[in-house]
Amino acid sequence: MKGISHPALDDISLENVCQALTDPVRIEIVGRLAKMSEATCSVLNAGRPKSSMSHHYRVLRDSGLICTRTRGTTHFNALRRAELDARFPGLLDALLKAMAVDADGEAKYEASPRSSTIPI
Amino acid sequence: MKGISHPALDDISLENVCQALTDPVRIEIVGRLAKMSEATCSVLNAGRPKSSMSHHYRVLRDSGLICTRTRGTTHFNALRRAELDARFPGLLDALLKAMAVDADGEAKYEASPRSSTIPI
DNA sequence: TCTATTGTTCGACTACAAGCGTACAATGGT
DNA sequence: ACCATTGTACGCTTGTAGTCGAACAATAGA
């Protein structure tokens, strides 16, 4: 594990933040981090290939959305809440709320076995 | 000019909204619409090729960020403020504020002749 | 109806991003 | 020192997005 670098506050751009949230996998990571405050990569990987996930962490780091603390060989990821809020006030909160809304909408189609469990 | 369709509220996804704001040209369009409430394509084109811009309007429309009213052969574009706020409360405002912040940051390097006009 | 204007659609090219296997690096434990 | 674990870096393939010229569609006006 070589250089894990994070952009400075002023180098965080809206364009990059949006770019980072373009992918459902990364949206999921951010959404989960919002509830866990800190999590290792392996916890978030959910069985997906390491190299793919490592790519997503990098995109999220480069965008300024998350920071990674290294402890031994394991990496702890967390949202850069306070910093992001300093740079773009209110944005992260609005994004997190939007993620919750969006997840609700999709849940209607995936879960909710009601229609099949109540035949007559 | 054929079918100009807009997604329903529930079909607007955070992923698509972010995707739409991935491009600086589209960020600029949204930022300008925030101040103008309505504008024709030709006004926003700023001399760029029509076909390229038409593509950007389509992405913005499909994402749910803007709607297009057709009047004769000219198209009037506007932000879907109220609807977006109903779907993702606070998100659009936060995004618009973020655009302003981001634009400021870049302006420091492009405009602002102060450092060169106040030598001593 | 003929023409100018306003945008969209199509097609081709280019650039970038995702996915993933493999190799590598860094650390902890024995 | 050796090995297992954790994650990154590299290289490749594939898919998708941006760019733009050229052709087309729709409308207003003469």
Side-chain angles (χ1 to χ4, degrees), chain A:
Chain A
M1 298 104 176
K2 241 181 291 182
I4 293 194
S5 64
H6 302 88
L9 258 196
D10 289 343
D11 293 334
I12 298 179
S13 72
L14 176 62
E15 191 180 327
N16 287 347
V17 168
C18 286
Q19 166 65 31
L21 296 178
T22 276
D23 189 291
V25 173
R26 292 193 291 262
I27 289 184
E28 181 200 315
I29 293 176
V30 171
R32 293 184 61 185
L33 282 179
K35 303 174 198 159
M36 311 174 60
S37 82
E38 209 179 35
T40 67
C41 294
S42 59
V43 163
L44 297 169
N45 281 359
R48 288 166 291 212
K50 286 191 300 180
S51 54
S52 299
M53 296 306 286
S54 187
H55 164 69
H56 289 304
Y57 296 125
R58 170 177 258 285
V59 173
L60 286 170
R61 267 196 307 266
D62 290 350
S63 78
L65 273 168
I66 73 172
C67 60
T68 302
R69 173 174 73 89
T70 213
R71 185 79 175 181
T73 72
T74 92
H75 291 194
F76 292 87
N77 305 288
L79 291 183
R80 293 179 68 177
R81 279 181 183 282
E83 293 170 291
L84 273 166
D85 210 61
R87 171 82 170 137
F88 300 131
L91 180 59
L92 183 56
D93 282 348
L95 287 169
L96 293 176
K97 272 199 288 182
M99 287 177 201
V101 170
D102 222 7
D104 275 2
E106 282 154 25
K108 287 178 188 170
Y109 297 94
E110 292 179 2
S112 165
R114 262 185 299 170
S115 56
S116 56
T117 50
I118 310 184
I120 253 204

Side-chain angles (χ1 to χ4, degrees), chain B residues 39-46 53-54 57 61 68 74-77:
Chain B
T40 66
C41 295
S42 59
V43 163
L44 297 168
N45 282 357
M53 296 306 285
S54 187
Y57 296 126
R61 267 197 307 266
T68 303
T74 93
H75 291 195
F76 292 86
N77 305 286

Side-chain angles (χ1 to χ4, degrees), chain B residues 21-73:
Chain B
L21 296 178
T22 275
D23 189 292
V25 173
R26 291 193 291 262
I27 290 184
E28 181 200 314
I29 292 175
V30 170
R32 294 184 61 184
L33 281 180
K35 302 175 198 156
M36 312 174 61
S37 81
E38 209 178 34
T40 66
C41 295
S42 59
V43 163
L44 297 168
N45 282 357
R48 288 166 291 214
K50 285 190 301 177
S51 55
S52 298
M53 296 306 285
S54 187
H55 164 70
H56 289 303
Y57 296 126
R58 168 178 260 285
V59 173
L60 286 170
R61 267 197 307 266
D62 290 349
S63 77
L65 274 168
I66 72 171
C67 60
T68 303
R69 174 173 71 90
T70 211
R71 185 81 174 178
T73 71

